[in-house]
Amino acid sequence: MLLAPTPDPSALRDPVTALWEGPLAEDLARYHEALDTALASQADYLSATEHALYQRGKKIRPLLLLLCARLVHGSGPLPQKAVNGAVCLEMLHIATLIHDDIVDDSLLRRGLPSVNAARGTQTAVLIGDMQFVQAIRGFVEEIDAQRDIELVKAVLDTAFRICCGELDELAAEPGWDTARLLAHYWQTIERKTAVLFGLACEAGVTLAGGPAADARRAGFYGRRVGRAFQVMDDLLDLAQDEEASGKPQGIDLARGRFSLPLIHAMAELGPDHRVSRVVRGEPCDEAGLRACAAAVRGTAGYATAYAEARAQALDAWRRLRPFPASAYRTALGDIALHIVDRAP
């Protein structure tokens, strides 16, 4: 039986920050320089709110792109198009965050006012669109080989699938049975979250000149990391307070979003439990939401959702086996495990 390695305790605490501050410090400096250049053409339209979005967060998607590039490139300066690709990828991600907040009418993002809260919905829509367009323009500008053209197609496909995932999430119905809700959930997060992680890893290998087979393997790893990341985000929504998460606790429950722990909990608690009624639209105040979140955390379904997230992370780790052993492969494995080793 294949067992995942036990990461170094310091890596378990935060391998992402350790990588940015250590082996990828030079890559991070180049990333920021390329980001400043990319944002310069939007300078007349961006406010401090948008700049804060780009500065905050751990930049895990650009990190994965650069790590996967180094997986095949090794040490030494990366091709500039790999660094630029990391910037374009983050722009695509920021676009999805802005549009998410518009759809959800969310007033907070990473503990700060969302773009729609700060600047209004109309401006936020256009700013989000601008990030999408600038991201795709950036990928197109990096074309210098036939494989790069294929990558641009993959970027466009990813953007389309993200939009499909956002629409899928809104389409779920309270009357669906558990099996249908679960199938719908996995399809939704595959499109909404996992494909962007997969694109990050596939693009990293491609932009560094790696073989197409390695790019596909990296993409498989990335999509499984993305699935684990989304399930953990769903779990943390029910566990973390607003100070830790930057958003109110139980926000998915309040909005009637069928996250994995909620689907399992509803099946366990039954249709007449307050949790199920709130998901179906029954009004609930902040104290009630906290009580519902606590009820979900007390179910076996909550633990089941965590187990499924961990299974995805372990599968991601196994997908790295065909790559030669290196510090970069180890780092990618540590990140997959770190995502689910955070206490939900």
Side-chain angles (χ1 to χ4, degrees):
M1 180 178 177
L2 177 66
L3 297 176
T6 301
D8 177 83
S10 63
L12 272 176
R13 283 195 296 272
D14 192 354
V16 174
T17 300
L19 285 163
W20 281 135
E21 293 177 351
L24 299 186
E26 182 179 340
D27 295 337
L28 179 61
R30 293 177 65 194
Y31 166 86
H32 280 300
E33 182 179 349
L35 176 63
D36 289 344
T37 300
L39 293 178
S41 62
Q42 305 180 49
D44 293 340
Y45 306 103
L46 301 185
S47 70
T49 301
E50 293 79 54
H51 284 287
L53 268 180
Y54 278 106
Q55 295 302 321
R56 293 170 72 89
K58 293 188 175 180
K59 306 174 185 65
I60 191 168
R61 294 157 189 84
L63 177 98
L64 289 174
L65 188 152
L66 294 168
L67 267 181
C68 286
R70 291 210 167 276
L71 196 61
V72 296
H73 181 80
S75 59
L78 285 173
Q80 185 60 39
K81 65 181 181 179
V83 177
N84 292 345
V87 169
C88 295
L89 188 82
E90 184 68 355
M91 284 190 157
L92 194 59
H93 174 54
I94 293 297
T96 68
L97 296 185
I98 294 172
H99 286 164
D100 273 352
D101 289 339
I102 295 168
V103 171
D104 294 339
D105 195 24
S106 178
L107 302 181
L108 288 175
R109 169 60 65 179
R110 295 173 177 170
L112 296 175
S114 61
V115 176
N116 52 297
R119 305 187 65 183
T121 299
Q122 291 179 327
T123 299
V125 169
L126 294 171
I127 293 296
D129 290 347
M130 185 176 284
Q131 306 319 297
F132 263 121
V133 172
Q134 184 72 352
I136 294 168
R137 283 178 64 193
F139 275 111
V140 170
E141 287 171 358
E142 298 306 322
I143 291 176
D144 61 14
Q146 179 62 37
R147 282 189 64 201
D148 295 337
I149 296 176
E150 295 300 318
L151 179 59
V152 171
K153 291 179 181 177
V155 172
L156 292 170
D157 287 343
T158 297
F160 177 78
R161 293 175 71 187
I162 289 171
C163 293
C164 291
E166 294 286 356
L167 291 168
D168 289 341
E169 186 172 55
L170 297 174
E173 294 288 345
W176 291 355
D177 62 26
T178 299
R180 188 176 179 188
L181 283 173
L182 286 171
H184 185 82
Y185 172 82
W186 287 109
Q187 174 182 280
T188 298
I189 70 165
E190 178 70 19
R191 293 172 170 175
K192 180 183 174 183
T193 304
V195 292
L196 192 57
F197 277 80
L199 175 65
C201 298
E202 184 175 346
V205 172
T206 300
L207 292 170
D214 283 350
R216 286 194 297 273
R217 292 188 188 101
F220 292 147
Y221 159 87
R223 287 196 295 278
R224 281 147 185 81
V225 167
R227 293 173 198 165
F229 184 93
Q230 183 60 60
V231 176
M232 288 303 301
D233 197 54
D234 295 342
L235 290 163
L236 292 170
D237 174 73
L238 295 159
Q240 289 185 334
D241 58 25
E242 185 170 335
E243 183 177 351
S245 67
K247 58 182 180 180
Q249 186 183 85
I251 194 67
D252 287 342
L253 196 159
R255 290 171 177 157
R257 298 296 166 79
F258 291 93
S259 68
L260 188 61
L262 282 179
I263 295 170
H264 286 312
M266 289 169 62
E268 183 176 337
L269 296 171
D272 296 327
H273 192 278
R274 190 180 188 187
V275 168
S276 301
R277 300 200 311 270
V278 169
V279 173
R280 293 198 301 265
E282 180 179 291
C284 187
D285 60 18
E286 188 175 334
L289 281 178
R290 288 197 297 269
C292 285
V296 174
R297 294 196 303 272
T299 64
Y302 190 80
T304 298
Y306 175 74
E308 291 180 89
R310 190 164 185 84
Q312 292 292 331
L314 289 171
D315 190 20
W317 178 82
R318 294 185 188 102
R319 299 283 174 167
L320 298 171
R321 288 192 303 170
F323 293 98
S326 70
Y328 305 115
R329 191 183 77 168
T330 298
L332 286 164
D334 288 348
I335 288 171
L337 298 179
H338 170 70
I339 283 171
V340 294
D341 280 330
R342 299 172 296 163

